[in-house]
């Protein structure tokens, strides 16, 4: 089976999983990994190997650019201390703490003979960075506060590049190369700094070109070149491709798209990248499950469990330290958010690819790969299945009771309104006696009045329900406007120029609604949780 056929089959399976998890109420990423595990155990068809070249050439640039493209630079800047603390020194500290904890545990339990602190350092480097693919896919399925989502997204996008750099450096240390703290610092700043510079340069060039074009297809294609071109260019020069793509994405999304794209073109670009992210996420999580050999996990359950507990504990310690540090600044957040940040530190495809990229003659290579795969699976399945309940217990997102009661009342109101419409139709057909009609109409009208009163009380008591209702209604009305304009143009009632102007105006209002909230006014600065 060729590569193209395998990807088509994987995408079909992903769509089946997407439909199924809606009924089962499972996180989409969890369903994909479980499906991948089943496919891998059954050996139904030869799937592509999830290696470094595949991840770097296809998946990572697109996923990272899409996330960075939608990030607001001002929000990132307001939370720069928290994000950079977790993404840069946090990864270094996580690598060191994981190595310091895992090496003595391995010796004490004797589950990995010959496992030294150098092995633990390599493992700590490849497992410490939270994976943006896993984090973004999970949090977009949950209605978490905007700032909390921003903290995890920003950290995961930046620490990915940090993790790759320190993994390379840890291999040099393992090989006995003369590496000093000063040398490590210079190497890190060079790789990350030059990667960022390349991303900024590519983003500026693309943004400048966008300002001189008015062709949606070409403009969307240029963003694709920015995503993959910045990654490839930096990677070929041995700098951080991840950081380059992040920089290019933020610049294109915050400068290029806003100053160089018409509203309708920007809407098309955002739709395109949302689909790209969905498609890439679907395939990569299936491949994660397929890649994991269940028999190896069973044989290495003890070191996997020990490593998972250490990695999770270290994550909690680091978040606690950052929480205490930023507690003295305007970026402070609550301890409940700290727990969510700890549990949200998922590991995904990147650690698996780094582990598979270990040299073939690396001591204990197979054992380290098995441990890495096990930690990733525990992270995605365990945290993915428990994240939503945890956020509800912590009070970060509303529990389902208010939402369910609100939806139940709205459904009841729609049913009663439909019944009243049917009574009007029966009256026009003279199907019922006037007295019967009036009695039935009175009964249903009382029901409508009662439900409306209950909805009003619930919406007042739960401001977030009211706000969400207004937002969805505004968005629905704008889409109705857009559909009516498109239909009028198709029937020849509007000239092409008028049609374009009207659609551009509607797209601009949709973008404004999505960026400013339900009331059409800019959202106030997020208060500390």
């Amino acid at each position: 089976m060729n590569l193209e056929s395998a990807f088509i089959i994987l995408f079909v399976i992903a769509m089946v999983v997407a439909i199924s998890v809606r009924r089962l109420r499972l996180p989409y990423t969890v369903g994909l990994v479980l499906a991948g595990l089943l496919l891998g155990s059954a050996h139904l068809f030869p799937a592509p190997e999830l290696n470094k070249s595949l991840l770097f050439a296809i998946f990572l640039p697109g996923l990272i650019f899409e996330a960075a493209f939608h990030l607001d630079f001002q929000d990132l800047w307001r939370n720069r201390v928290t994000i950079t603390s977790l993404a840069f020194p946090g990864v270094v500290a996580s690598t060191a703490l994981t190595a310091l904890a895992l090496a003595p545990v391995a010796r004490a339990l004797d589950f990995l003979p010959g496992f030294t602190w150098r092995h633990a350092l390599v493992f700590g480097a490849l497992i410490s960075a939270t994976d943006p693919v896993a984090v973004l896919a999970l949090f977009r399925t949950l209605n978490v506060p905007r700032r909390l989502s921003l903290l995890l997204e920003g950290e995961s996008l930046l620490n990915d590049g940090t993790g790759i750099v320190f993994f390379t450096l840890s291999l040099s240390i393992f090989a006995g190369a003369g590496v000093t703290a000063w040398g490590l610092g210079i190497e890190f700043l060079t790789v990350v700094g030059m990667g960022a510079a390349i991303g900024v340069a590519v983003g500026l060039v693309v943004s400048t070109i966008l300002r001189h074009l008015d062709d949606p297809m070409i403009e969307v294609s240029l963003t694709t070149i920015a995503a993959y071109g910045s990654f490839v260019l930096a990677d070929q020069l041995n700098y951080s491709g991840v950081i380059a793509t992040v920089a290019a994405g933020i610049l294109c999304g915050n400068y290029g798209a806003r100053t160089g794209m018409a509203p309708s073109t920007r809407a098309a670009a955002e739709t395109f990248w949302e689909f790209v992210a969905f498609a890439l996420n679907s395939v990569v999580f299936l491949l994660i499950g397929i890649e994991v050999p269940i028999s190896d996990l069973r044989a290495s359950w003890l070191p996997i469990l020990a490593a998972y507990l250490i990695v999770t504990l270290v994550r909690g310690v680091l978040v606690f330290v950052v929480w205490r540090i930023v507690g003295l600044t305007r970026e402070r957040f609550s301890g409940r958010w700290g727990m969510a940040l700890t549990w949200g530190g998922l590991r995904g495809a990147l650690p698996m690819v780094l582990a598979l990229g270990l040299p073939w003659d690396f001591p204990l290579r197979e054992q380290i790969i098995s441990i890495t795969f096990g930690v990733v699976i525990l992270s995605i399945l365990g945290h993915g299945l428990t994240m939503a309940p945890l956020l509800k217990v912590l009070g970060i997102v509303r529990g389902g009771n208010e939402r369910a009661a609100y939806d139940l009342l709205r459904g009841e109101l729609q049913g009663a309104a439909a019944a009243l419409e049917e009574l009007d139709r029966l009256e026009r057909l003279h199907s019922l006696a006037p007295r019967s009609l009036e009695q039935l109409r009175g009964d249903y009208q009382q029901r409508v009045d009662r439900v409306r009163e209950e909805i009003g009380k619930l919406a007042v008591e739960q401001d977030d329900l009211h706000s969400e209702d207004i937002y969805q209604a505004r968005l629905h009305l704008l889409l109705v406007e857009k559909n009516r304009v498109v239909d009028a143009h198709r029937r020849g009632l509007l000239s092409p120029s008028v049609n374009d102007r009207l659609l551009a105006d509607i797209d601009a209002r949709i973008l404004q609604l999505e960026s400013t909230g339900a009331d059409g006014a800019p959202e106030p600065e997020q208060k500390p949780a």
Side-chain angles (χ1 to χ4, degrees):
M1 180 181 295
N2 57 37
L3 187 63
E4 293 82 0
S5 300
F7 271 110
I8 292 174
I9 293 175
L10 288 173
F11 200 59
V12 170
I13 295 172
M15 296 306 99
V16 173
V17 173
I19 296 171
S20 302
V21 295
R22 289 180 178 271
R23 298 180 178 275
L24 299 175
R25 296 185 179 180
L26 280 176
Y28 181 45
T29 54
V30 173
L32 288 170
V33 172
L34 290 174
L37 289 171
L38 293 175
L39 289 174
S41 301
H43 302 289
L44 295 179
F45 66 96
E49 181 184 356
L50 185 59
N51 51 35
K52 182 177 179 180
S53 60
L54 185 63
L55 185 73
F56 281 27
I58 298 178
F59 296 109
L60 212 52
L63 290 168
I64 290 175
F65 185 87
E66 187 271 338
F69 188 82
H70 289 92
L71 285 180
D72 187 275
F73 180 76
Q74 292 183 349
D75 289 340
L76 286 174
W77 184 252
R78 283 195 292 265
N79 294 278
R80 60 190 180 277
V81 175
T82 305
I83 291 173
T84 54
S85 296
L86 290 170
F88 296 123
V91 172
V92 179
S94 178
T95 300
L97 291 175
T98 300
L100 289 174
L102 186 58
V105 169
R107 285 197 301 270
L109 298 179
D110 195 28
F111 51 64
L112 286 176
F115 190 87
T116 66
W117 69 270
R118 292 188 177 184
H119 295 89
L121 182 66
V122 172
F123 174 77
L126 67 86
I127 203 68
S128 289
T130 56
D131 194 311
V133 177
V135 174
L136 299 179
L138 175 63
F139 263 67
R140 287 181 180 179
T141 63
L142 303 174
N143 188 26
V144 300
R146 178 180 175 184
R147 183 176 174 232
L148 177 58
S149 179
L150 174 74
L151 294 179
L152 267 174
E153 288 186 18
E155 176 210 352
S156 64
L157 287 173
L158 295 178
N159 71 14
D160 209 26
T162 309
I164 294 173
V165 171
F166 277 96
F167 172 71
T168 304
L169 295 176
S170 69
L171 290 178
S172 300
I173 295 174
F174 188 93
V179 180
T180 63
W182 174 257
L184 287 175
I186 294 298
E187 178 74 12
F188 172 76
L189 291 176
T190 301
V191 172
V192 172
M194 289 302 297
I198 291 172
V200 169
V202 172
L204 281 175
V205 170
V206 170
S207 297
T208 302
I209 297 174
L210 290 175
R211 298 182 66 181
H212 295 85
L213 290 175
D214 188 19
D215 189 316
M217 294 299 102
I218 296 178
E219 293 179 61
V220 172
S221 299
L222 283 172
T223 62
T224 308
I225 293 174
Y228 287 87
S230 59
F231 191 99
V232 171
L233 181 59
D235 192 58
Q236 289 296 316
L237 297 174
N238 295 319
Y239 301 126
S240 176
V242 173
I243 298 298
T245 303
V246 170
I250 292 175
L251 197 61
C252 288
N254 288 267
Y255 174 63
R258 295 182 182 181
T259 63
M261 287 183 176
S264 57
T265 303
R266 184 179 170 192
E270 293 187 349
T271 302
F272 167 78
W273 280 108
E274 286 173 2
F275 168 74
V276 169
F278 171 75
L280 295 179
N281 268 320
S282 300
V283 177
V284 77
F285 277 99
L286 271 178
L287 291 178
I288 287 175
I290 292 173
E291 197 73 32
V292 175
I294 302 297
S295 58
D296 290 353
L297 298 187
R298 287 198 299 263
S300 304
W301 71 269
L302 182 57
I304 288 173
L305 181 61
Y308 166 77
L309 293 175
I310 289 173
V311 168
T312 305
L313 179 62
V314 167
R315 170 74 179 176
V317 170
L318 291 175
V319 171
F320 175 78
V321 172
V322 172
W323 172 63
R324 297 293 293 178
I325 292 173
V326 301
L328 305 175
T329 70
R330 293 181 60 188
E331 295 183 25
R332 60 187 179 274
F333 54 87
S334 69
R336 295 179 291 112
W337 278 29
M339 295 179 189
L341 288 172
T342 298
W343 207 241
L346 276 70
R347 274 65 179 179
L350 182 64
M352 295 173 61
V353 170
L354 293 179
L356 290 170
L358 288 171
W360 288 101
D361 58 349
F362 190 87
L364 301 178
R365 179 180 184 273
E366 296 303 320
Q367 291 86 339
I368 291 178
I369 291 175
S370 295
I371 295 173
T372 303
F373 283 16
V375 171
V376 169
I377 293 299
L378 284 176
S379 174
I380 294 176
L381 298 184
H383 295 210
L385 289 171
T386 57
M387 178 59 74
L390 176 65
L391 292 176
K392 291 176 182 178
V393 169
L394 294 175
I396 294 175
V397 297
R398 296 280 183 183
N401 294 335
E402 294 89 350
R403 181 77 257 176
Y406 191 61
D407 290 342
L408 180 64
L409 288 172
R410 290 202 306 178
E412 188 175 353
L413 179 61
Q414 291 171 6
L420 286 173
E421 291 177 2
E422 178 63 15
L423 286 174
D424 290 339
R425 189 184 72 85
L426 294 175
E427 184 179 21
R428 290 194 301 271
L429 296 174
H430 303 286
S431 298
L432 286 176
R435 182 178 177 183
S436 300
L437 280 169
E438 290 304 317
Q439 180 178 345
L440 291 171
R441 184 177 284 114
D443 292 342
Y444 274 104
Q445 189 60 53
Q446 289 180 2
R447 187 176 180 185
V448 168
D449 295 339
R450 175 184 58 80
V451 174
R452 279 180 173 173
E453 183 179 356
E454 292 182 16
I455 288 178
K457 291 179 180 178
L458 190 59
V460 170
E461 294 171 359
Q462 305 294 340
D463 289 339
D464 56 336
L465 295 178
H466 174 70
S467 179
E468 181 183 350
D469 221 23
I470 292 294
Y471 173 83
Q472 294 296 337
R474 288 185 185 275
L475 182 60
H476 172 72
L477 293 174
L478 286 170
L479 293 176
V480 169
E481 287 187 46
K482 187 172 183 177
N483 289 334
R484 182 57 60 88
V485 169
V486 171
D487 181 65
H489 174 61
R490 288 174 177 171
R491 289 187 288 124
L493 301 178
L494 297 176
S495 66
S497 60
V498 171
N499 175 72
D500 292 342
R501 289 181 59 184
L502 290 173
L503 291 180
D505 174 67
I506 295 172
D507 285 336
R509 284 187 282 157
I510 291 175
L511 290 173
Q512 182 184 18
L513 176 67
E514 292 176 342
S515 61
T516 59
D519 297 330
E523 290 182 354
E525 184 174 345
Q526 180 86 33
K527 295 182 179 180

